[in-house]
Amino acid sequence: MAKRCSCFQRLFIFFNVLFAIAGGVIIGLGLLGQFIYHGSTEEFENQSKGFVVLYVVGGITMFMSLLGAYGAHREKRIPLIMFLVACFIVCFCLLRVAVPTAMYRPEVERIVEEKFREVLPLNEASPDVRQLTEKFQLNLKCCGLFGYTDWGDNVPDSCLCQGEEDLIEGTCQNIPYQLLILSEFRMTGHLTGHQKLIYKQPCFPIIEGYVAKVLDIVLGVFFGFAALALLGVVMSAVLLAQLRSSNVAVPVVFSVSSHPSKFSFSSHPPKYSELYNEPEKHEK
């Protein structure tokens, strides 16, 4: 039968309950994302690997927390040892990924910029790249990845300023372009210059800012979970030490009194007593 839980055991169980709630939240985010993207088959297929990762991470987190809580409540050493080893492995893996990423973060940002420059010019890029870029331009109110010249002479309508508030905020600029009017060309023999009002902010700096924020969040989650895993290692080690010290046998001394019906037990060892034997007397 398990002994009464100490304050440290209750704290350890509460820590694991919070860990289990975090795992449930991760699984819930995966289910929510799957529900949101369920209507779009293409986007759902692109995000399916991310959902699997969320389910695996959430399941492992809940299993570890329940294992630790069970071991602490029932005072079982094997579940606690398994919890300690699992927390140590998780902490090591998270730090193995997070520390190099934080150290080489400028290099990561440079690689991202190089990947974006590889698709230029946009007017010669694949249809998927052009379509994705135009979505960025409509949603972020920008034009081109590094400038409107990324489109060459074919600046799309997604770069055009849509409302008067854009003019008031000063986010638009005029660019010249040549509009070929066949009737006018046949009559005059030249092209007429026109102006286009487009967004002057390129898209890549905005995207880079979002990427930096996402990277900060990911690193924060990694370091946060690594710290929790390390705390779990320390707490489980302390609890194992307490259980070991409580299971050490205490010497019990059994003594019998002169009275036949009285027995006494003592958890303390008997006091040291010196035996002295008198020398035998020789007869004269």
Side-chain angles (χ1 to χ4, degrees):
M1 191 173 96
K3 299 178 182 179
R4 186 178 179 181
C5 294
S6 63
C7 294
F8 187 81
Q9 284 177 276
R10 295 193 188 98
L11 179 63
F12 186 75
I13 294 172
F14 179 72
F15 169 79
N16 282 277
V17 169
L18 292 181
F19 229 145
I21 293 174
V25 170
I26 294 174
I27 296 176
L29 290 176
L31 293 173
L32 179 62
Q34 188 173 359
F35 176 77
I36 292 174
Y37 287 101
H38 184 69
S40 177
T41 306
E42 183 179 356
E43 293 184 0
F44 178 77
E45 291 178 355
N46 295 332
Q47 301 294 332
S48 59
K49 293 181 180 179
F51 299 147
V52 172
V53 171
L54 289 176
Y55 294 148
V56 171
V57 172
I60 293 175
T61 303
M62 291 191 69
F63 175 76
M64 288 174 52
S65 60
L66 294 177
L67 187 67
Y70 171 77
H73 180 68
R74 303 295 298 178
E75 297 185 358
K76 301 290 185 181
R77 297 186 62 187
I78 294 179
L80 288 175
I81 293 174
M82 294 174 61
F83 177 81
L84 187 150
V85 174
C87 284
F88 179 80
I89 294 174
V90 169
C91 180
F92 176 79
C93 292
L94 290 175
L95 292 179
R96 183 69 178 81
V97 175
V99 172
T101 304
M103 292 177 60
Y104 296 101
R105 178 174 173 176
E107 189 71 15
V108 173
E109 295 177 353
R110 185 185 64 81
I111 293 174
V112 172
E113 182 177 352
E114 289 180 355
K115 293 296 182 182
F116 274 89
R117 290 190 179 276
E118 288 178 359
V119 302
L120 299 179
L122 292 173
N123 56 329
E124 299 178 2
S126 64
D128 294 337
V129 172
R130 292 199 302 268
Q131 184 179 3
L132 181 60
T133 305
E134 292 202 40
K135 286 184 179 180
F136 285 147
Q137 292 176 162
L138 289 172
N139 295 327
L140 303 178
K141 295 184 177 183
C142 55
C143 184
L145 294 176
F146 301 94
Y148 72 91
T149 55
D150 294 342
W151 290 101
D153 296 331
N154 300 318
V155 179
D157 292 340
S158 57
C159 283
L160 299 178
C161 293
Q162 304 296 328
E164 295 182 357
E165 63 275 4
D166 295 329
L167 298 175
I168 297 174
E169 294 175 359
T171 58
C172 301
Q173 64 176 345
N174 285 312
I175 61 169
Y177 77 104
Q178 301 294 332
L179 178 63
L180 177 61
I181 302 177
L182 293 178
S183 59
E184 184 177 353
F185 178 75
R186 290 169 184 169
M187 293 175 58
T188 61
H190 65 275
L191 301 176
T192 304
H194 293 270
Q195 297 287 326
K196 269 189 176 182
L197 193 62
I198 66 169
Y199 295 112
K200 63 181 179 181
Q201 174 71 22
C203 294
F204 178 75
I206 302 175
I207 297 173
E208 187 180 24
Y210 283 116
V211 171
K213 289 181 181 179
V214 171
L215 192 59
D216 289 339
I217 293 173
V218 171
L219 288 175
V221 171
F222 275 33
F223 281 114
F225 269 92
L228 290 176
L230 183 60
L231 181 60
V233 171
V234 174
M235 294 181 70
S236 57
V238 173
L239 188 56
L240 283 169
Q242 289 184 355
L243 293 178
R244 183 178 180 182
S245 62
S246 63
N247 292 331
V248 175
V250 179
V252 177
V253 178
F254 174 77
S255 61
V256 181
S257 64
S258 59
H259 196 280
S261 63
K262 290 184 178 180
F263 300 91
S264 62
F265 296 89
S266 175
S267 59
H268 301 286
K271 294 182 179 180
Y272 173 78
S273 59
E274 181 178 0
L275 299 178
Y276 178 75
N277 295 326
E278 295 182 357
E280 296 181 358
K281 296 182 181 180
H282 299 282
E283 296 180 357
K284 296 183 180 179

